[in-house]
Amino acid sequence: LAVAYVHGLGPRPEHPDFDAVRCNVVPGVGELFVMPTLTTGGRADILFWEGVPGGPLDVFQGVKDPSEHLALTLELMERFTPWEYARATKVELTDAGGTLAGRYAPTVRNPVGRLPGGGLVLGVADVVVANDPITGQGSNSASKCAAAYLAAIVEHGDRPFDEEWMRATFDRYWQTAQHVTKWTNAMLAPPPEHVLNLLGAAGQLQPAADRFANGFNDPADFENFFYDPERTNAYLASLTGA
């Protein structure tokens, strides 16, 4: 993962007056996300590379100088996403701390921890379900985890909050989180043909675009039209009448 916060990025040619997150998928290589943001210095944009480990984007380790980081980001944009690079020829970092690089291993952990003194703790959010940021589900999942735990606490009343309750409470959250994890891991893999067809169709068919976008709020719906080629094809056929 490699992030650069910049000023001076040009507008999207097709939507010059509309801010949006834009994802560029480079199969087998990784993704470039371009995201509008607000910083202490005002409006800015984020250039965010996510690279397959060991691949051509996995070159930021050991890069400490922010200017070198930005230059490397732009070099990779010119190579793999020249349409985005064309917007970025005049960018500069928002400040000397405007870069970040690192690695992130998706992990689902044991939700209950035991303290040295024997007490128990229940993990919350990405302490226990850590997904890759490719689908932007971190804050969504944390909010949904908090809501699920709160409901479990209120319903439990004055009974002991023991290990059995903790595990049952996590299992309640997992009913939501499992769909986030499945979708996120699927997006990390090279997209199969039916997914490429779905994304292509979403560029032409508003209902397909809306349903894919709404999956960010409810990833469980991807079971119905995303993972299985037959379901994907049936869904697209229902929109086109084919």
Side-chain angles (χ1 to χ4, degrees):
L1 308 174
V3 177
Y5 282 70
V6 298
H7 289 142
L9 184 70
R12 296 183 299 162
E14 69 276 23
H15 296 292
D17 299 320
F18 182 73
D19 274 343
V21 176
R22 188 145 96 162
C23 173
N24 302 269
V25 178
V26 186
V29 175
E31 303 84 31
L32 173 70
F33 284 85
V34 182
M35 300 180 284
T37 188
L38 288 174
T39 74
T40 54
R43 192 207 174 285
D45 288 281
I46 302 171
L47 306 176
F48 183 9
W49 276 117
E50 296 191 353
V52 174
L57 301 180
D58 190 2
V59 292
F60 286 89
Q61 189 169 2
V63 177
K64 303 298 184 183
D65 180 75
S67 297
E68 183 183 353
H69 180 115
L70 178 59
L72 189 53
T73 296
L74 295 174
E75 177 184 322
L76 293 168
M77 290 173 65
E78 185 176 21
R79 178 180 175 187
F80 292 108
T81 57
W83 53 92
E84 299 287 22
Y85 175 76
R87 305 165 54 202
T89 55
K90 297 181 180 180
V91 299
E92 57 184 26
L93 291 174
T94 55
D95 58 79
T99 60
L100 181 68
R103 298 173 182 272
Y104 194 90
T107 307
V108 179
R109 299 182 175 91
N110 186 334
V112 180
R114 187 172 296 276
L115 300 174
L120 298 175
V121 292
L122 173 61
V124 62
D126 57 8
V127 170
V128 285
V129 183
N131 290 305
D132 188 278
I134 187 172
T135 55
Q137 291 293 298
S139 57
N140 291 2
S141 295
S143 298
K144 291 175 180 178
C145 182
Y149 283 15
L150 174 60
I153 291 168
V154 172
E155 291 170 10
H156 201 61
D158 295 329
R159 288 171 288 170
F161 292 93
D162 54 16
E163 182 171 355
E164 181 180 0
W165 175 85
M166 291 181 180
R167 294 194 180 279
T169 296
F170 172 78
D171 289 345
R172 178 176 184 161
Y173 167 54
W174 181 246
Q175 295 305 307
T176 298
Q178 64 179 320
H179 298 293
V180 175
T181 296
K182 182 175 181 178
W183 177 44
T184 301
N185 290 343
M187 292 295 287
L188 286 173
E193 183 179 1
H194 73 279
V195 170
L196 291 176
N197 291 339
L198 175 65
L199 296 177
Q204 306 297 323
L205 301 169
Q206 192 63 46
D210 290 344
R211 190 169 188 182
F212 183 80
N214 287 331
F216 282 79
N217 177 56
D218 181 19
D221 187 41
F222 286 116
E223 291 285 352
N224 301 315
F225 73 102
F226 186 82
Y227 303 114
D228 182 74
E230 292 186 3
R231 290 187 178 184
T232 300
N233 293 336
Y235 170 61
L236 294 179
S238 72
L239 298 179
T240 63

